[in-house]
Amino acid sequence: MALMDFLKKQFIDVLQWTEDGDGTLAWRYPMRDMEIQTGAQLVVRESQMAMFVNEGQVADVFGAGTHKLVTQNLPLLTNLKNWDKLFESPFKSDVYFFSTRQQLDQKWGTPQPITIRDAEFGAVRLRAFGNYAWRISDPRLFYTEVSGTREKYGTEEVEGQLRGLVLQNISNAIAASGVPFLDLAANQSMFAQALATQLAPEFARLGIKIEGFTVQNLSLPDELQKVLDQKIGMGMVGSDMGKFMQYQTAQAIPEMAKGVGSGGDGGGLAGAGLGMGAGVAMGQILAQNMQSALQPQAPAAAAGAGAAGAGAAGVKAEDVMAMLEKLGELKSKGILTDEEFAAKKAELLKKLV
């Protein structure tokens, strides 16, 4: 019987794997009734790695190239099997091949809005989606943590876990980046980089490396989108307070005109507690800003004296109150800081003295 068993055995001279399609991450070479001939060739292609496993224990790992299987090239397996250095008999061992090429266009997205915390706006609900690419970087770790002893392991079996890690770490990524949420929302590549940085160690625990990450769409609540639009608009006029007020007035006038044209109260300004006095004040401010922009600058001393005289004679209490209400609204939306609001408030109140 022993002789017949020996004759039935097949000896492997070449071990190799050619992928027959997409999606296979790990593949075990079929070893039933076969043994590996000492001196056999192990062929590992550029997009692969190979690993020997002896009775559940990971042994030697091979990168791309053609490798001759002798004891000198199998130090860990030789040690596990207690071979002599001159061992030349056929042997059995599990051999796994791993695909290390990039797994492209892996989708991620938020099926429901998720809540994140931001230092500036508190709790924010958002939707987002995009794609990412990854590859196996550590076959030993991927084998012990993910694929195990299965004959074949595919991308569809791990993609759910990876998508879950993405969604779980969105809030952590924003917090760890130290960048205000609105800045991340306005720059999707920065948002994607923050997510990739947060996810890298999470994926590495599975023997996987992120090669690319994109945010293709980011949907914000309407209120927060309006604030973002205002910040983008202000980016075009800089930090000059005069230009800032011109920008705010110009934004409000179309709404006022729309409300008046339809028989309303100026786009709902009265309902918001501003009243027609605020509309008149905003018109006056726009006219003053346009006039000051068109006039050439006078000498500093004359300009200072003229401004003081005008402030004492021409500013009405209701105009100042309307301006303070407008500035308070801008502060509540996060457009003005507390310091900027306090400075402008003090400046306006001086004009009432």
Side-chain angles (χ1 to χ4, degrees):
M1 285 295 295
L3 179 61
M4 291 300 296
D5 291 340
F6 177 79
L7 294 176
K8 288 180 181 178
K9 287 182 179 179
Q10 300 181 46
F11 299 106
I12 303 171
D13 292 327
V14 178
L15 291 94
Q16 59 181 335
W17 175 45
T18 54
E19 299 178 56
D20 55 4
D22 293 330
T24 302
L25 298 174
W27 178 77
R28 186 179 67 203
Y29 194 95
M31 284 290 182
R32 184 176 180 180
D33 296 327
M34 292 190 294
E35 292 186 352
I36 302 171
Q37 183 71 47
T38 302
Q41 300 293 312
L42 173 67
V43 180
V44 184
R45 289 168 171 79
E46 285 290 341
S47 59
Q48 299 174 352
M49 294 188 78
M51 184 173 70
F52 282 76
V53 178
N54 178 63
E55 297 180 356
Q57 290 185 279
V58 177
D60 302 279
V61 179
F62 293 87
T66 300
H67 310 275
K68 186 177 181 180
L69 299 180
V70 293
T71 54
Q72 291 85 348
N73 289 338
L74 295 165
L76 296 179
L77 188 63
T78 297
N79 183 60
L80 289 174
K81 288 183 173 292
N82 297 313
W83 286 339
D84 183 87
K85 291 184 178 180
L86 300 179
F87 179 83
E88 293 185 356
S89 299
F91 62 94
K92 289 187 70 69
S93 175
D94 290 328
V95 181
Y96 291 86
F97 285 86
F98 297 87
S99 174
T100 58
R101 60 190 177 92
Q102 290 194 44
Q103 305 300 319
L104 301 173
D105 197 26
Q106 304 297 303
K107 308 293 186 181
W108 70 272
T110 55
Q112 301 295 331
I114 63 172
T115 302
I116 65 169
R117 288 201 167 274
D118 180 68
E120 188 175 0
F121 294 99
V124 177
R125 289 171 63 81
L126 63 85
R127 287 177 181 269
F129 66 83
N131 61 11
Y132 61 102
W134 57 271
R135 72 167 81 238
I136 294 176
S137 59
D138 188 337
R140 186 188 302 268
L141 192 56
F142 187 82
Y143 169 82
T144 57
E145 296 293 333
V146 182
S147 62
T149 60
R150 296 171 57 176
E151 181 180 349
K152 189 176 182 180
Y153 194 90
T155 55
E156 71 280 358
E157 299 175 82
V158 73
E159 61 185 9
Q161 174 68 19
L162 299 183
R163 277 200 303 268
L165 287 174
V166 173
L167 299 182
Q168 176 182 322
N169 283 274
I170 288 179
S171 182
N172 294 338
I174 294 173
S177 70
V179 179
F181 173 72
L182 275 185
D183 293 338
L184 288 176
N187 188 336
Q188 292 185 358
S189 62
M190 185 188 297
F191 193 10
Q193 182 58 47
L195 276 172
T197 301
Q198 179 69 25
L199 287 168
E202 300 289 338
F203 279 40
R205 293 188 182 98
L206 303 177
I208 294 173
K209 178 183 177 183
I210 295 180
E211 293 291 349
F213 200 97
T214 67
V215 176
Q216 296 174 341
N217 181 270
L218 185 65
S219 301
L220 306 176
D222 292 341
E223 299 79 8
L224 195 58
Q225 186 64 55
K226 290 177 182 178
V227 176
L228 177 59
D229 292 341
Q230 287 178 326
K231 284 213 168 189
I232 293 174
M234 274 306 300
M236 297 184 290
V237 299
S239 58
D240 182 84
M241 182 59 72
K243 290 184 178 180
F244 176 78
M245 295 310 301
Q246 289 179 16
Y247 172 78
Q248 289 295 324
T249 305
Q251 291 291 99
I253 284 177
E255 293 298 323
M256 293 172 58
K258 181 179 178 181
V260 172
S262 61
D265 61 354
L269 290 176
L274 298 179
M276 290 302 295
V280 173
M282 291 173 66
Q284 290 175 346
I285 294 167
L286 178 60
Q288 292 170 4
N289 285 334
M290 292 179 64
Q291 182 178 1
S292 63
L294 292 173
Q295 289 179 349
Q297 284 189 334
V315 177
K316 297 180 181 180
E318 56 267 27
D319 294 345
V320 173
M321 294 305 297
M323 277 295 300
L324 288 174
E325 290 180 4
K326 182 63 178 175
L327 291 171
E329 180 185 350
L330 296 176
K331 182 173 78 71
S332 67
K333 290 183 178 180
I335 304 299
L336 290 179
T337 64
D338 291 340
E339 292 77 10
E340 291 171 335
F341 173 77
K344 193 62 181 177
K345 176 181 175 182
E347 178 184 339
L348 290 171
L349 292 178
K350 284 182 182 179
K351 296 182 180 181
L352 296 176
V353 179

